[in-house]
Every structure is written in C-alpha cells, then in structure tokens.
Amino acid sequence: MLSTARKPLSAVEYHELAEFRYQIRRFLQFSEAVAKAEGLEPQHHQALLALKGLPHGLEPTIGAVAERLFLRHQSAVGLVDRMERCGLVQRVAAKADGRQVLVKLTQHGEEVLERLSLTHREELEETAPQLSKALRAIIRRSTQGGLA
C-alpha cells in the first residue's frame, strides 16, 4: 500500500530502506539455498513452515496455504499436489467435518522441516543483529516523523 504522504525521502532514508531490504534478501537467499541443498524447492519449505506454524485456530487447509503464501487457490492446490508426490504432506479428512480436507505434514515432512528450521535458527542467531539494526533505524526515523 502506497503512502498518501508525499514528503521527499532523504539520502539517509533511502540508505536505511535499502539496507533493510538487503538484509531481508540476504536471509531469503540463504533460506532458498539451504532448502535446495536439502532437495526441496524453496516454496515447499515455505509451505511446510506455514503449515507447521499456523496461528492458533486456523485449520491447515489448502485455503490456509494459499493465504499464508499469497497464492491463488488453484496454485496452492498444485503446490500441495507436488508436495504430496514428494512425501512431504498428505491430505486427510477433517474429523469435525469429513468434507473438509486438511493438509498434514508426513513424518518425512516433519523431519525435513526440523532440519531446515534448526539451520535457519543458527543463521538468524548470526544475522539477526544486522537485520535488527536495519529495522531499528527505520523505526527510529518513523517515530521521529521521518517516514510516513
């Protein structure tokens, strides 16, 4: 969403935004590389994490996968199909309503996600200070009225 305020940005603000974006991309690049090293497509890893880490009360449906990954429903169906063929997830009928289909991680999916998550945690322990510093600079400026 674009801001309605049109106050020009300073060179420092551009630098802070660029640094923050760089730190995010750096982490995402790491994440994609370790997923591929594990034999997974990065989107499969994202879906596994999204399913495992769903907010309380949200059912692990294809619709939830679509919402959490910003996909259209039919794209999420294809993603779940591919993940099912890889043995990462399985579709099961919901106990409360057998017509509803839930997407559950298989044992293999759980194991892969655990390895990747431990690796990601280690990386974040290393890189979080730079990411946090970049975000704090933006927040500090926005609370001082520098960014709208």
Side-chain angles (χ1 to χ4, degrees):
M1 173 180 258
L2 294 177
S3 172
T4 57
R6 295 294 176 191
K7 184 176 180 180
L9 295 171
S10 69
V12 170
E13 289 170 306
Y14 279 113
H15 169 77
E16 290 167 350
L17 289 169
E19 180 63 18
F20 180 63
R21 178 124 178 121
Y22 168 74
Q23 294 298 333
I24 290 171
R25 284 297 309 145
R26 189 171 132 197
F27 179 73
L28 292 174
Q29 186 71 27
F30 164 84
S31 181
E32 291 172 6
V34 296
K36 288 178 181 178
E38 184 70 41
L40 233 58
E41 289 299 319
Q43 198 173 40
H44 293 176
H45 171 231
Q46 294 167 22
L48 289 172
L49 184 59
L51 286 164
K52 183 76 173 181
L54 282 174
H56 181 71
L58 191 58
E59 294 286 347
T61 61
I62 289 177
V65 171
E67 177 185 335
R68 301 304 283 188
L69 297 184
F70 298 96
L71 298 173
R72 286 176 295 180
H73 188 270
Q74 64 267 26
S75 297
V77 169
L79 175 62
V80 170
D81 287 345
R82 291 187 300 279
M83 292 175 66
E84 201 168 29
R85 285 192 298 273
C86 293
L88 298 167
V89 297
Q90 62 182 352
R91 289 176 170 95
V92 296
K95 291 179 183 168
D97 180 355
R99 297 171 295 173
Q100 185 180 33
V101 176
L102 303 179
V103 182
K104 300 284 187 172
L105 275 65
T106 62
Q107 184 64 38
H108 175 61
E110 292 275 358
E111 291 166 359
V112 170
L113 180 59
E114 176 76 10
R115 285 193 301 274
L116 286 169
S117 296
L118 289 170
T119 303
H120 279 73
R121 184 172 66 188
E122 290 170 7
E123 176 68 10
L124 281 171
E125 288 169 356
E126 292 287 323
T127 61
Q130 295 92 354
L131 182 60
S132 179
K133 180 181 176 185
L135 181 57
R136 279 194 313 272
I138 293 170
I139 291 170
R140 183 173 44 252
R141 184 164 308 280
S142 70
T143 60
Q144 295 170 351
L147 291 175

